[in-house]
Amino acid sequence: MFDLLMTLGAWNWVVLGFILLLLELVFPGVFFVWFGLGALLTALVSLLFYNLPWIAFWEVEVIFFLIFSIIMVLIGRNFFRRDRETDEPLLNRRTDQIIGKIVVLEEPVRDGKGRIRIDDTIWRIKGPDLPEGTEVKVVAFENGVFTIEKA
């Protein structure tokens, strides 16, 4: 069995590479793809330099695979970094989007507590007692409650 694997040479790496890429489709998470690409690069090196005597050793090919996989993981990690600048930095942070908005009170604020409608959602608020119809500015969000002040 081992002799069969050794006679296939670079094709072992091609098959392994495609199996890893298919695993990425089955179990998505951008993990197997880098190792699959490392295996395909190892196959490419093995095919290009097949006539060199030292490349025929499977230990050398495994070292190439490990090196290429580490390089691909580092490239992928830099490419898919999460701290990139975006045109919508507050896209999934709704409460941060609301801070700074000026809204008209539909209900009065009594005893420092009340509710306010912002877009299609009713939020709890705290702040000074104010009558209905007053323009207020949302200044903070803490523990599920917005803090407001008179605009």
Side-chain angles (χ1 to χ4, degrees), residues 50-113:
Y50 68 92
N51 56 351
L52 296 177
W54 54 269
I55 198 72
F57 297 111
W58 66 270
E59 295 92 346
V60 174
E61 291 180 354
V62 168
I63 290 171
F64 272 112
F65 170 68
L66 293 173
I67 291 170
F68 286 141
S69 294
I70 290 170
I71 290 171
M72 294 309 294
V73 165
L74 293 175
I75 289 172
R77 192 171 147 201
N78 286 335
F79 184 73
F80 288 108
R81 266 188 306 174
R82 296 194 186 270
D83 61 343
R84 287 187 179 177
E85 287 294 320
T86 176
D87 58 341
E88 293 287 336
L90 302 177
L91 180 63
N92 292 321
R93 296 167 50 193
R94 178 124 191 249
T95 55
D96 291 346
Q97 292 175 2
I98 293 173
I99 293 175
K101 267 192 172 184
I102 296 177
V103 189
V104 176
L105 288 175
E106 294 179 4
E107 300 176 10
V109 178
R110 293 190 185 114
D111 298 325
K113 298 178 184 175

Side-chain angles (χ1 to χ4, degrees), residues 1-147:
M1 181 71 174
F2 187 72
D3 292 333
L4 173 67
L5 290 176
M6 290 309 296
T7 58
L8 291 176
W11 293 107
N12 289 326
W13 295 107
V14 172
V15 170
L16 177 66
F18 282 115
I19 288 173
L20 289 168
L21 291 175
L22 287 173
L23 278 174
E24 181 65 38
L25 292 174
V26 175
F27 304 107
V30 193
F31 179 74
F32 291 112
V33 68
W34 309 122
F35 295 103
L37 291 173
L40 292 175
L41 285 172
T42 303
L44 182 67
V45 167
S46 182
L47 285 172
L48 289 175
F49 302 108
Y50 68 92
N51 56 351
L52 296 177
W54 54 269
I55 198 72
F57 297 111
W58 66 270
E59 295 92 346
V60 174
E61 291 180 354
V62 168
I63 290 171
F64 272 112
F65 170 68
L66 293 173
I67 291 170
F68 286 141
S69 294
I70 290 170
I71 290 171
M72 294 309 294
V73 165
L74 293 175
I75 289 172
R77 192 171 147 201
N78 286 335
F79 184 73
F80 288 108
R81 266 188 306 174
R82 296 194 186 270
D83 61 343
R84 287 187 179 177
E85 287 294 320
T86 176
D87 58 341
E88 293 287 336
L90 302 177
L91 180 63
N92 292 321
R93 296 167 50 193
R94 178 124 191 249
T95 55
D96 291 346
Q97 292 175 2
I98 293 173
I99 293 175
K101 267 192 172 184
I102 296 177
V103 189
V104 176
L105 288 175
E106 294 179 4
E107 300 176 10
V109 178
R110 293 190 185 114
D111 298 325
K113 298 178 184 175
R115 295 184 304 169
I116 194 170
R117 176 182 296 277
I118 300 174
D119 298 328
D120 61 347
T121 307
I122 296 176
W123 298 91
R124 294 184 310 159
I125 58 172
K126 66 180 179 179
D129 291 350
L130 297 168
E132 174 183 331
T134 306
E135 281 191 344
V136 294
K137 180 178 181 180
V138 180
V139 293
F141 182 78
E142 184 179 350
N143 297 328
V145 180
F146 280 108
T147 303

